[in-house]
Amino acid sequence: MTSHHHLPAHEVVLLLETDIAKGLTSNEAATRLARFGPNLLPKFRRHGPLIRFLFQFHHPLIYVLLAATVVTLLLGEWVDAGVIFGVVFVNAIVGFIQESRAEAALDALASMMTTEAKVRRDGRTVRIPSEEIVPGDVVLLESGDKVPADLRLTRVRELRVDESALTGESLPVEKVDHVLPSETVVSDRKNMAFSGTFVTYGQGTGVVVSTGVETELGRIHQLMGETTQLETPLTQKLASFSKALTVAILGLAALTFLLGLWRGQEAKEIFMAAVALAVGAIPEGLPAAVTITLAIGVSRMAKRNAIIRKLPAVETLGSTTVICSDKTGTLTKNEMTVQALWVGLRSFEVEGAGYEPVGAIREERSDQSLPLPPAVIDLLTAGALCNDAQHVEREGWWTIIGDPTEGALLVAARKAGLDPSQLNELRPRLDAIPFESERQFMATLHRASASEAEESERPVIYLKGAVEKLIPLCDRMVDVDGAERPFDPSTVLEQVERFASRGLRVLAFARKAMPAAASLTEQDVKGGLTLLGLQAMIDPPRPEAVAAVRACQQAGIAVKMITGDHAITARAIAAQIGLDGRKDQERDALVAMTGQELAATPQERLPEAAERTAVFARVSPEQKLRLVEALQARSHVVAMTGDGVNDAPALKQANIGVAMGRGGTEVAKEAADMVLTDDNFASIEAAVEEGRCVFDNLTKFIVWTLPTNMGEGFVLLAAIALGTVLPILPVQILWINMTTAVALGLMLAFEPKEPGIMTRPPRDPNQPILTGVLIERIFMVSFLMLAGAYGVFLWELDRTESIMAARTAGVNVFVMVELFYLFNCRSLEHSMFYVGVFSNPWIWVGVTAMTVLQLLLTYAPFMNRLFHTVPIDGTAWALVLAVALIGYAVVEVETWLRKQWKKRSRVGRPTSG
């Protein structure tokens, strides 16, 4: 892609062999369309639906379950095989749907360019579809247009373009047509208009220099196509866990087979026993539990204004260690707001943020709401009249039509009780000098209101503009009571510096009484003006974002601002929202690393710089990607929030992308894993909280289900080692695994958040799902099940001499131990009384359902035939329940002892100093 910003306009015209006055001929445009192709973003080659569906089965745990399906088919258990495969199939469908929605991101980018444009062809001005635009076309721009391609501007008239979606710049960029230095970065190329941006004010003419994939928007499209989508911590851990589980199951089955052969048992019988052991050791309910637990998390998040597009994203937020947030529209409201006034040597604070006209105006460091002095009213009146924007309410939302800066002035006037439309009726505009970059001010001439009889209804000129331009034109100023007095320009400039240090953009306002006149010339405003004062504004931080950032920091999550805006503004916003990062000790201010500094930083030093710095300004899309990748290189789980086109590649690269639903572009939404429907950064905190809860509940399920699978395996292994009959049959194993997983285990997915969930640090991304402590508990419960089930089986076999009664008792031992152990697993570090016995009513629903199912298994004749069970008496039940209670008590005692040991370790730990 060739740059054209450093070339004079006439050279660009010559290079592209076009004519500014007439444009291209129709024949030449058709030739170039055939040569360069349509002005569209190409679709990247993707796998077809069938291949993408088959990829859903490409997972170690799924391989184990598919093997279990084959095994149960070989055993002749058609129903059980169908159930296992059904679980796998449903999971594949869910994954396929989620992935299909994610792949729509590139299509959304392409659709951004389907619009019309006004061009010169054959000497006439015509409108054509943007896809027919070719290099060399002469495009005419006006307010409200979407720029159809990358243009080198040849003529501008007060042209301002909203590039926030592309560069992150919060204010519309004022365009120029003169030559810029070759090293000028994209965000500062003011003589270019970029594809996909919007004209907010003025007119302009430009020559198309790039179309389709060659545009800046097309480059971002390529970045998205080249970005690798990472696995989430949950999928990574489950993959690792599944591989280890697969090896363990196959190893145990092989050991069983070899042990049987060594004992001289028949090979076929031993082989089928080994297969039964493998079936028992497979946690068939795990994939369903993962999907349902995540789905419940999705439902909870939707109620808190966070829409999840990819299920594992629920858990990823819970593991997030760094949030990289765009500034404009994410941490801030993307609504310029006047925050301070300076009139007659006195400062006034303007409360409220955004376009809603709510907030008081009071003198600085004063808590009293006194009537506003006349000079303040005059200043706000000047801002409302010397203004081309509109402040309107639509469907309960206030918005601005026109320039955001002018909109901020209208909002400030309304906060003082002034109605801009009434002001314009009282003082109708007679003439105006529009804002231009050379002048740096705007002036309007107004008829005086009838109430101003003392001025003989002389017209009044109001001006607004850059302070350095207006001060030389003024020879006096108003004091706070409205009287005119001489002024010292240095005093004004000192106040401007104080505002600028806070990241505020400052505009000066002046007026001049005119003789009766109906027109306005530049000569009229060359001097003799009276300075009314200053209005200082900024795109303010969302109040809820401040609290959300604080909550994230308390939860051990670093928050970093990555923006295309200026460093001073970024630093000011970062200080207001409480970001924590590397500081400039001399100024006691956060260090803001700029895009130029990032570009000069060697790749090997970037991860450390990204770790230590909290504010990044004037950053390009490629640099956002570099920063995300640098943090990932430091083993961080990175969440990237954003709402613009420029955020899309980083959203896709991040471990989780979070887009804004109301103010965000479709591109950002489609690239993201999660969309916030209220554009509220505070919803991030809620999402993190829910994510941690989801991971907790998944861990609880795994810790609850694995002892059963291991216990079943150990029982079968013990029977083969001892040369006895199998205490439980393969069909009974499947009954235990499937019914308990659904009726009992899935109830853990509904567990509420435990107290203090947002005061603990994020999980170490490298930490496995199961810690050493939890593995110890799993083995302990597994051996309790082995001892209890095998012991009851032998005792019942000796008492009744019925192998079927003994097996029925053994099955009930497994189920009842699981049922009581479920209450242990409601909290892995506390008793169930800590989280509340009835805080999860679904637990009791599951316990009741499982009890009914076990009674049916034991006493219903049709169940007896299907599962080879028989009714058992009260003595057997008493023993079964005793074993279950002992298991519950042992785990509770172990949990209590571990807590006491932790407390003593903390008390006995030596303190530094």
Side-chain angles (χ1 to χ4, degrees):
M1 183 162 46
T2 306
S3 299
H4 296 82
H5 61 279
H6 63 290
L7 299 175
H10 68 273
E11 285 190 23
V12 175
V13 172
L14 287 173
L15 279 172
L16 293 168
E17 300 178 5
T18 188
D19 187 318
I20 287 294
K22 297 182 180 179
L24 297 173
T25 65
S26 297
N27 290 337
E28 178 61 22
T31 301
R32 295 190 185 191
L33 186 62
R35 176 183 170 191
F36 294 104
N39 182 31
L40 295 171
L41 298 181
K43 293 184 178 181
F44 287 95
R45 191 176 176 184
R46 306 175 195 163
H47 293 299
L50 179 61
I51 299 299
R52 283 190 287 120
F53 180 71
L54 292 176
F55 265 119
Q56 306 304 317
F57 297 90
H58 183 54
H59 191 281
L61 184 58
I62 300 300
Y63 295 155
V64 174
L65 290 170
L66 290 174
T69 303
V70 174
V71 166
T72 49
L73 284 171
L74 292 175
L75 290 171
E77 301 294 339
W78 304 97
V79 174
D80 302 316
V83 169
I84 298 171
F85 185 74
V87 170
V88 175
F89 193 74
V90 168
N91 279 322
I93 290 174
V94 171
F96 174 77
I97 292 171
Q98 294 290 337
E99 187 177 303
S100 297
R101 293 184 62 192
E103 293 297 337
L106 295 175
D107 295 335
L109 260 177
S111 69
M112 285 188 68
M113 300 185 65
T114 57
T115 184
E116 287 190 338
K118 188 187 294 184
V119 301
R120 287 183 184 141
R121 291 270 179 94
D122 300 311
R124 294 181 295 112
T125 300
V126 295
R127 295 192 73 87
I128 63 172
S130 65
E131 63 186 60
E132 295 179 14
I133 295 283
V134 295
D137 261 325
V138 177
V139 177
L140 308 179
L141 299 173
E142 59 187 26
S143 181
D145 286 348
K146 180 190 285 187
V147 181
D150 284 2
L151 313 178
R152 168 61 166 91
L153 298 169
T154 59
R155 187 185 67 83
V156 297
R157 181 177 173 80
E158 305 167 42
L159 181 66
R160 296 177 217 164
V161 179
D162 180 359
E163 296 181 345
S164 61
L166 186 69
T167 67
E169 174 66 67
S170 57
L171 291 170
V173 178
E174 185 182 342
K175 293 298 182 178
V176 299
D177 53 21
H178 56 72
V179 176
L180 294 174
S182 58
E183 65 272 13
T184 306
V185 297
V186 171
S187 56
D188 290 331
R189 293 177 186 173
K190 297 183 178 181
N191 60 4
M192 300 287 295
F194 297 109
S195 176
T197 60
F198 291 88
V199 178
T200 63
Y201 193 82
Q203 298 90 35
T205 303
V207 179
V208 175
V209 296
S210 302
T211 59
V213 75
E214 295 298 318
T215 63
E216 288 296 324
L217 183 66
R219 194 157 50 86
I220 293 176
H221 175 79
Q222 287 183 307
L223 288 173
M224 282 189 67
E226 294 166 2
T227 302
T228 303
Q229 188 125 17
L230 300 180
E231 288 187 309
T232 70
L234 178 63
T235 55
Q236 291 170 345
K237 289 181 176 67
L238 281 178
S240 174
F241 173 71
S242 301
K243 288 175 184 175
L245 188 62
T246 303
V247 172
I249 289 171
L250 294 177
L252 197 58
L255 178 63
T256 301
F257 184 70
L258 292 174
L259 185 62
L261 288 179
W262 177 72
R263 291 188 56 84
Q265 294 174 268
E266 186 181 346
K268 181 179 179 181
E269 179 185 343
I270 293 300
F271 177 76
M272 295 311 293
V275 167
L277 185 147
V279 171
I282 296 168
E284 290 91 347
L286 183 57
V290 170
T291 301
I292 292 172
T293 304
L294 291 174
I296 291 169
V298 168
S299 176
R300 287 176 174 175
M301 286 178 153
K303 293 175 183 176
R304 303 180 77 172
N305 300 309
I307 303 299
I308 299 298
R309 299 185 61 255
K310 302 167 189 175
L311 283 180
V314 180
E315 177 275 335
T316 310
L317 273 167
S319 302
T320 297
T321 57
V322 176
I323 297 176
C324 294
S325 176
D326 186 48
K327 177 184 73 68
T328 306
T330 307
L331 289 168
T332 66
K333 295 177 72 69
N334 199 16
E335 297 176 355
M336 291 299 291
T337 304
V338 174
Q339 291 195 333
L341 309 174
W342 186 80
V343 183
L345 305 180
R346 286 160 66 177
S347 295
F348 294 81
E349 296 176 348
V350 184
E351 297 178 347
Y355 293 152
E356 189 174 5
V358 176
I361 301 176
R362 54 169 57 96
E363 192 163 359
E364 195 173 47
R365 291 183 292 275
S366 171
D367 295 329
Q368 296 180 327
S369 295
L370 300 174
L372 293 175
V376 174
I377 298 297
D378 287 344
L379 174 63
L380 295 171
T381 298
L385 290 175
C386 189
N387 201 309
D388 288 326
Q390 296 178 55
H391 183 218
V392 297
E393 187 178 16
R394 292 175 177 169
E395 299 178 358
W397 290 89
W398 285 92
T399 187
I400 295 297
I401 300 173
D403 187 89
T405 299
E406 292 191 324
L409 301 175
L410 296 178
V411 176
R414 285 188 186 273
K415 289 178 180 177
L418 301 174
D419 186 332
S421 59
Q422 289 183 2
L423 289 175
N424 278 289
E425 288 178 10
L426 287 171
R427 302 177 181 181
R429 183 184 297 187
L430 300 174
D431 199 3
I433 298 175
F435 181 93
E436 286 188 0
S437 56
E438 292 80 11
R439 286 192 295 263
Q440 291 288 302
F441 68 79
M442 173 183 178
T444 54
L445 176 65
H446 296 265
R447 182 180 296 125
S449 67
S451 63
E452 296 172 331
E454 69 276 7
E455 293 289 336
S456 302
E457 299 189 14
R458 293 169 61 188
V460 178
I461 301 173
Y462 288 112
L463 292 91
K464 76 166 186 287
V467 177
E468 61 273 16
K469 292 291 184 181
L470 258 61
I471 284 182
L473 306 179
C474 298
D475 53 24
R476 55 195 179 278
M477 66 182 289
V478 297
D479 62 22
V480 76
D481 295 319
E484 296 186 1
R485 51 172 286 182
F487 81 108
D488 180 2
S490 63
T491 305
V492 182
L493 294 175
E494 287 174 6
Q495 182 60 44
V496 171
E497 286 183 12
R498 283 193 285 272
F499 282 148
S501 67
R502 293 163 52 187
L504 298 173
R505 184 186 181 206
V506 184
L507 288 179
F509 295 81
R511 76 178 175 201
K512 181 180 181 181
M514 286 282 288
S519 63
L520 182 64
T521 66
E522 288 197 44
Q523 192 64 34
D524 295 326
V525 295
K526 288 245 175 126
L529 304 180
T530 300
L531 182 70
L532 295 175
L534 309 174
Q535 294 197 47
M537 64 190 70
I538 197 170
D539 178 15
R542 297 173 178 270
E544 60 272 19
V546 178
V549 167
R550 189 184 308 115
C552 288
Q553 290 170 339
Q554 288 174 349
I557 301 168
V559 180
K560 299 181 184 295
M561 178 196 294
I562 303 179
T563 179
D565 216 335
H566 294 280
I568 293 177
T569 306
R571 255 199 313 265
I573 295 294
Q576 290 181 48
I577 64 176
L579 291 190
D580 186 18
R582 185 161 52 104
K583 285 193 173 183
D584 182 333
Q585 297 302 325
E586 291 183 8
R587 293 185 298 173
D588 191 29
L590 287 170
V591 171
M593 198 171 186
T594 65
Q596 286 185 331
E597 292 169 336
L598 277 173
T601 303
Q603 188 63 37
E604 63 273 11
R605 290 179 54 196
L606 188 58
E608 181 186 359
E611 180 98 45
R612 294 176 56 217
T613 307
V615 184
F616 300 89
R618 307 302 282 171
V619 174
S620 68
E622 295 96 326
Q623 289 170 333
K624 288 190 177 189
L625 269 177
R626 283 187 69 204
L627 285 169
V628 171
E629 291 168 344
L631 289 166
Q632 289 170 336
R634 302 275 285 199
S635 299
H636 282 294
V637 177
V638 181
M640 170 74 187
T641 73
D643 57 2
V645 176
N646 63 322
D647 297 322
L651 287 175
K652 192 175 179 186
Q653 172 64 29
N655 300 85
I656 176 167
V658 184
M660 303 296 126
R662 184 180 296 157
T665 62
E666 287 302 313
V667 183
K669 294 176 198 174
E670 293 292 345
D673 303 281
M674 183 175 83
V675 178
L676 304 182
T677 59
D678 59 353
D679 285 15
N680 192 334
F681 188 84
S683 298
I684 298 288
E685 178 199 352
V688 169
E689 196 175 327
E690 292 294 346
R692 291 186 173 192
C693 179
V694 164
F695 196 92
D696 282 356
N697 291 348
L698 281 173
T699 304
K700 291 171 185 177
F701 177 84
I702 293 172
V703 171
W704 172 82
T705 193
L706 286 187
T708 302
N709 301 108
M710 292 180 65
E712 290 164 347
F714 288 155
V715 165
L716 293 170
L717 187 61
I720 293 168
L722 296 173
T724 64
V725 295
L726 296 179
I728 48 177
L729 298 173
V731 68
Q732 294 169 341
I733 289 173
L734 284 168
W735 165 264
I736 296 169
N737 289 358
M738 297 307 296
T739 57
T740 57
V742 173
L744 298 179
L746 287 183
M747 301 304 110
L748 290 171
F750 297 94
E751 278 296 312
K753 295 176 286 291
E754 291 191 33
I757 197 170
M758 286 298 286
T759 58
R760 67 192 192 204
R763 284 178 58 89
D764 181 351
N766 298 317
Q767 181 178 319
I769 293 177
L770 299 178
T771 61
V773 171
L774 297 179
I775 291 173
E776 289 174 12
R777 175 180 289 188
I778 289 169
F779 272 97
M780 180 184 72
V781 177
S782 297
F783 283 112
L784 285 172
M785 286 187 173
L786 165 63
Y790 205 78
V792 168
F793 169 79
L794 293 176
W795 181 84
E796 187 69 6
L797 184 62
D798 180 66
R799 187 175 74 90
T800 64
E801 298 184 353
S802 167
I803 187 71
M804 292 180 70
R807 283 173 173 162
T808 302
V811 169
N812 278 298
V813 167
F814 270 105
V815 172
M816 288 300 134
V817 171
E818 277 194 273
L819 190 150
F820 279 79
Y821 180 49
L822 184 72
F823 292 103
N824 297 122
C825 291
R826 292 194 59 203
S827 175
L828 298 178
E829 296 184 356
H830 304 279
S831 164
M832 72 167 176
F833 299 102
Y834 175 79
V835 296
V837 176
F838 298 104
S839 60
N840 180 6
W842 287 102
I843 288 285
W844 297 99
V845 173
V847 166
T848 302
M850 195 67 239
T851 303
V852 171
L853 287 172
Q854 281 307 111
L855 292 174
L856 285 173
L857 179 79
T858 306
Y859 297 106
F862 75 96
M863 296 290 277
N864 295 153
R865 288 192 299 273
L866 283 173
F867 292 98
H868 311 290
T869 57
V870 294
I872 56 176
D873 58 19
T875 303
W877 276 113
L879 191 58
V880 166
L881 293 174
V883 170
L885 279 169
I886 290 169
Y888 171 81
V890 168
V891 175
E892 283 293 292
V893 170
E894 184 264 350
T895 302
W896 182 82
L897 289 174
R898 218 175 269 285
K899 279 176 61 180
Q900 297 306 309
W901 180 80
K902 277 186 178 181
K903 287 180 182 177
R904 291 175 184 171
S905 298
R906 283 196 292 266
V907 171
R909 191 177 297 147
T911 58
S912 58

